[in-house]
Amino acid sequence: MFPTDQPITLNSVTITGPHQPRQEEILTPDALDFLATLHRRFNGRRAELLTRREEMRQRISEGWTPDFLPETRTIREDDSWRVAPLAPGLKDRRVEITGPVDRKMTINAMNSGAKCWLADFEDSSSPSWSNMLNGQVNLRDAIRRQIDFTSPEGKEYKLGGVQLVDRPTIIVRPRGWHLDEDHLLVDGEPMAGALVDFGLYFFHNAKELLRRGVGPYFYLPKTENHLEARLWNCIFVVAQDLLGIPQGTVRATVLIETITAAFEMEEILYQLRNHAAGLNAGRWDYIFSIIKNFRDRGDQFVLPDRADVTMTAPMMRSYTDQLVRACHKRGASAIGGMAAFIPNRRDPEANENALAKVRDDKTREAGDGFDGSWVAHPDLVPVAMEVFDAVLGETRNQIRTNRREDVVPDAAGLLAVSETPGSITEAGVRMNIEVGIRYVESWLRGNGAAAIHNLMEDAATAEISRSQIWQWINAGSEVGLTAGGTRTATHEWMQELMDEEFARIERSEGDRFDNALEVFAGSALAEEYPDFLTLPAYRKFLSANAPSRQELAGTPA
């Protein structure tokens, strides 16, 4: 049995998190040994690649502009190579539902009628120890069809159907490379959250999934270049060998959600080619990445209000067109972006207007050649399904039928930030502040998928919100005032607006709004821009009285 009040070390892994129900089923000695092996083999390379990210960002700050890599030109120009054939359960991905791995969401996703479910340990999950560990329990139960749930109000949730093959294919999204898991230490070092999420899911479920006719499939977030994709490929090879699973069983879809990765899409597929399933247009993180990387490069790279940055903006059209072309050229699936609308049955008119926008968005994606797309709510599955059914019919995807050979790789198009229509307004600033603070407060309470103003907000949209404020201040942008006229964005004025919006928030006992304001303001108004909002937020999860890592290393079992 695990102790409930102190760290314990098993197979050289120190567990510092508070005991969770059914923890013994997940943190088994063999599973921990597997995690330790992955950490020792790959954490050093992970650290090198994180340092490389910093160096690349510094180069951009100094005036260097990303472009297609001359050293990988032969990969792009070699028309002969293709990724592995589409795996069982990944041939038809016309609608994918996304969401965190809590128990209720797991059941709702599996009953949604979508073709796939992105089971998310990343942007729609806040990485509390209980969320991460219980998420593994929920996935394990769902795969074995042993999952049910009763809400505090007494509502029961159960799986429908009789066969796992009738349910959506599960695709797990682990955390990004930048996030640590401070509750699991190997040799005194925190493990990468990505290795924990991947390793525990793979170790406990890969063989069971194969027995059921599918496989362990993953979405890879926050990838910045093909070298990071190569690291994942090495991890897949070693993990499959350790468990005696045939090479090529793992399949991965990479989210193209950073501006640097957009210049290396074919190279990313090439590095993962024996394990590649496709690419996804992670639109919100992509916008965040553009702001983040070019935040101090002047007006040419300043975007208008978040609401004005739509998928019809020239830089976004270039990004999605080139993604579909890269995928279909190499035999991979191209998956579109998120429809974040949350239906509100109490407002039919607003509901229908929002659903019309979802239909337009999915119609554009299907027409552009995407093989599927994301929705955030089960009620949107039929809407998106109808659109893709009309385009695909009985065909499972568009890989062969819509090659997008009309698209030419275009570096200037990817960087056409200044051509984005729209303006910076006081209303846009206030919306960024309100949504950002509300989201961080929800995140700190353990809920990383927050419904705010009928939209499903996740970490990526909060990152945009705080990054725009930082960039507008840094660039001295002119902001259109609600009362008329303009005013220059300054640190002092943004602080005033933040105080005003914070004062309007209705408080309740036990909320985390004070902490949320501290985190959001600390990142939006900081002199030095923090790379990720979730890093200071994660530290709020950790107890101020916790033992140091040095004290925890080597704690006996």
Side-chain angles (χ1 to χ4, degrees):
M1 292 293 293
F2 287 92
T4 59
D5 58 353
Q6 63 180 357
I8 182 174
T9 297
L10 292 172
N11 284 8
S12 74
V13 179
T14 302
I15 305 163
T16 72
H19 184 270
Q20 301 298 314
R22 301 178 61 187
Q23 178 169 316
E24 295 85 350
E25 299 175 35
I26 302 301
L27 300 180
T28 64
D30 287 346
L32 293 173
D33 187 56
F34 182 75
L35 291 183
T37 299
L38 295 181
H39 175 87
R40 292 187 177 117
R41 290 284 295 270
F42 299 111
N43 196 55
R45 181 56 175 158
R46 169 206 173 214
E48 293 172 358
L49 290 172
L50 290 177
T51 299
R52 188 180 187 276
R53 287 183 179 184
E54 296 173 2
E55 294 168 350
M56 189 67 64
R57 159 67 199 133
Q58 184 60 36
R59 289 183 64 195
I60 293 173
S61 178
E62 293 169 355
W64 177 78
T65 299
D67 202 345
F68 299 106
L69 301 178
E71 62 266 31
T72 56
R73 181 188 300 274
T74 56
I75 292 174
R76 297 192 301 275
E77 294 181 350
D78 181 357
D79 292 336
S80 65
W81 65 269
R82 298 290 184 274
V83 301
L86 298 180
L90 297 179
K91 296 178 182 179
D92 187 338
R93 302 173 62 177
R94 63 188 70 195
V95 179
E96 300 187 350
I97 191 167
T98 75
V101 284
D102 64 81
R103 206 158 182 86
K104 177 182 172 182
M105 178 64 202
T106 298
I107 296 170
N108 284 342
M110 298 302 284
N111 288 336
S112 67
K115 295 293 185 180
C116 299
W117 171 39
L118 185 156
D120 194 17
F121 286 94
E122 203 230 2
D123 269 6
S124 67
S125 290
S126 57
S128 67
W129 177 237
S130 60
N131 281 350
M132 299 297 97
L133 202 58
N134 291 331
Q136 295 287 346
V137 170
N138 297 335
L139 289 173
R140 189 175 188 275
D141 287 352
I143 289 166
R144 292 159 179 81
R145 302 190 57 75
Q146 298 169 351
I147 188 168
D148 56 29
F149 173 70
T150 301
S151 72
E153 299 76 26
K155 185 175 181 180
E156 295 184 351
Y157 297 82
K158 296 181 179 180
L159 288 183
V162 293
Q163 297 291 330
L164 183 65
V165 292
D166 296 327
R167 303 294 105 201
T169 301
I170 296 173
I171 311 176
V172 169
R173 179 163 70 168
R175 281 167 280 183
W177 281 128
H178 61 290
L179 289 169
D180 289 341
E181 177 49 79
D182 268 41
H183 300 97
L184 289 175
L185 310 180
V186 178
D187 305 325
E189 291 182 323
M191 285 199 67
L195 288 180
V196 173
D197 302 337
F198 162 79
L200 290 176
Y201 178 75
F202 182 84
F203 183 86
H204 288 295
N205 301 297
K207 291 181 179 178
E208 181 66 21
L209 287 163
L210 285 172
R211 191 178 73 81
R212 293 175 179 266
V214 288
Y217 305 143
F218 299 91
Y219 262 110
L220 306 181
K222 304 290 191 291
T223 301
E224 297 208 2
N225 54 67
H226 71 283
L227 299 179
E228 295 181 11
R230 180 189 296 173
L231 173 59
W232 271 117
N233 195 71
C234 292
I235 292 166
F236 296 156
V237 170
V238 169
Q240 288 167 132
D241 277 349
L242 288 173
L243 264 63
I245 290 173
Q247 290 296 325
T249 298
V250 172
R251 295 301 167 85
T253 304
V254 178
L255 292 108
I256 301 301
E257 53 188 0
T258 65
I259 183 61
T260 50
F263 288 95
E264 301 180 34
M265 289 189 279
E266 289 187 71
E267 291 91 330
I268 287 169
L269 288 172
Y270 182 81
Q271 292 298 334
L272 284 160
R273 59 194 180 280
N274 294 327
H275 300 104
L279 303 177
N280 168 270
R283 59 177 73 173
W284 305 124
D285 264 304
Y286 186 75
I287 295 168
F288 161 50
S289 173
I290 290 172
I291 300 169
K292 174 181 178 176
N293 278 285
F294 294 95
R295 62 184 183 264
D296 48 11
R297 287 281 295 270
D299 291 340
Q300 181 183 357
F301 292 99
V302 173
L303 285 168
D305 288 354
R306 189 185 89 172
D308 288 340
V309 187
T310 69
M311 297 307 293
T312 61
M315 68 173 190
M316 303 305 286
R317 294 291 293 154
S318 180
Y319 154 61
T320 54
D321 284 347
Q322 293 187 62
L323 187 149
V324 174
R325 172 195 172 274
C327 286
H328 289 184
K329 179 181 178 182
R330 303 303 180 181
S333 296
I335 308 299
M338 170 72 78
F341 170 63
I342 303 299
N344 181 355
R345 298 180 179 91
R346 292 173 294 182
D347 191 343
E349 183 178 355
N351 223 33
E352 188 51 45
N353 289 337
L355 288 174
K357 292 180 180 179
V358 172
R359 288 190 191 95
D360 289 345
D361 182 48
K362 301 311 170 190
T363 298
R364 175 191 51 75
E365 288 182 326
D368 285 347
F370 279 96
D371 304 295
S373 190
W374 285 3
V375 298
H377 193 279
D379 286 358
L380 298 184
V381 171
V383 178
M385 194 73 75
E386 179 183 353
V387 170
F388 275 89
D389 284 350
V391 172
L392 293 176
E394 297 300 316
T395 306
R396 291 182 289 188
N397 53 66
Q398 301 192 71
I399 294 173
R400 294 185 179 181
T401 60
N402 195 347
R403 297 285 298 276
R404 293 309 308 269
E405 293 176 342
D406 59 305
V407 176
V408 177
D410 178 14
L414 293 173
L415 294 170
V417 179
S418 62
E419 297 177 25
T420 305
S423 57
I424 305 170
T425 69
E426 179 185 346
V429 174
R430 289 184 182 274
M431 181 61 72
N432 278 358
I433 292 169
E434 183 205 355
V435 170
I437 293 173
R438 287 188 181 278
Y439 177 79
V440 173
E441 194 275 338
S442 175
W443 197 93
L444 291 173
R445 286 186 290 104
N447 177 24
I452 304 173
H453 301 312
N454 293 328
L455 292 175
M456 185 62 75
E457 303 285 355
D458 68 8
T461 52
E463 292 282 23
I464 294 173
S465 295
R466 64 96 178 185
S467 297
Q468 285 199 308
I469 292 171
W470 195 98
Q471 187 183 36
W472 292 336
I473 294 171
N474 188 69
S477 299
E478 290 300 307
V479 180
L481 300 177
T482 303
T486 63
R487 182 171 175 176
T488 302
T490 64
H491 184 282
E492 292 73 22
W493 183 40
M494 293 296 110
Q495 181 68 71
E496 290 177 16
L497 295 180
M498 207 166 290
D499 291 342
E500 290 175 12
E501 291 303 313
F502 186 72
R504 292 191 178 100
I505 295 174
E506 186 175 341
R507 305 293 297 271
S508 61
E509 185 177 354
D511 69 42
R512 301 291 302 275
F513 279 112
D514 289 334
N515 293 142
L517 176 63
E518 179 184 350
V519 170
F520 185 80
S523 61
L525 303 178
E527 182 175 350
E528 294 294 329
Y529 176 93
D531 280 344
F532 290 98
L533 175 69
T534 47
L535 293 177
Y538 183 60
R539 288 193 286 272
K540 293 293 180 183
F541 276 132
L542 307 178
S543 169
N545 298 318
S548 70
R549 290 173 184 164
Q550 290 75 17
E551 292 171 324
L552 293 170
T555 303

